[in-house]
Amino acid sequence: MALPSNLSELDRIKAECKSMVTKRASASGLAAAVPVPGVDITADIGIMLELLPAINRKFGLSHDQIDQLDSETKKVLLVLITSAGSELVGKVITKQVIAKLLKKIGSKIAVKQVAKYVPFIGTAVSAGISFGAMKYLGNSHIDDCYNVAKRYIEKSQ
């Protein structure tokens, strides 16, 4: 998929990605409901390893897609990505990158782990935290990609 060429296409991509994030966040919440230690973290890492590159690709901002662009377009995009301060747009997403990202929401993860062991309500709390954290991370990445692509479209016109 190439870079979006206009704002209506960009808005369509954003809506598709938001739907994708909601589905993956639901899967994360379900994994968090499993009362086995570590299952949810493993699931979250797997989900993020698949989700973040998929969002980059949808916006035409994956590492490989950017590499295939002409040098002038590549320069413009790299400046836009750097100025946006994103650690994920246009990058190769690895387990180490995901681990660093999850550390940023470490307190929520810690609460989620402890909440699992509270009888009855703990599983629901853990699932809710996991859903919310995954949705927040995914939507934040969408916003970063959207802003980079929007600024690129504006510069190109």
Side-chain angles (χ1 to χ4, degrees), residues 36-49:
V36 177
V39 167
D40 54 340
I41 297 295
T42 303
D44 286 349
I45 290 171
I47 289 168
M48 295 302 277
L49 278 171

Side-chain angles (χ1 to χ4, degrees), residues 1 10 20 29 37-38 47 49 69 84-85 102 113 139-140 143 149 153:
M1 191 166 222
L10 186 61
M20 196 166 53
I47 289 168
L49 278 171
L69 298 171
L102 291 175
Q113 293 302 314
N139 286 338
S140 293
D143 292 342
I153 291 168

Side-chain angles (χ1 to χ4, degrees), residues 29 32-35 40 111-130:
V34 176
D40 54 340
V111 169
K112 178 176 78 166
Q113 293 302 314
V114 171
K116 269 188 179 191
Y117 302 105
V118 175
F120 306 112
I121 195 164
T123 303
V125 169
S126 180
I129 290 170
S130 193

Side-chain angles (χ1 to χ4, degrees), residues 84-112:
S86 175
E87 299 174 24
L88 302 170
V89 177
K91 306 289 191 284
V92 175
I93 308 296
T94 64
K95 284 184 182 179
Q96 291 77 17
V97 171
I98 300 298
K100 185 177 173 185
L101 186 63
L102 291 175
K103 283 181 186 175
K104 288 183 179 180
I105 59 165
S107 61
K108 288 183 181 179
I109 291 172
V111 169
K112 178 176 78 166

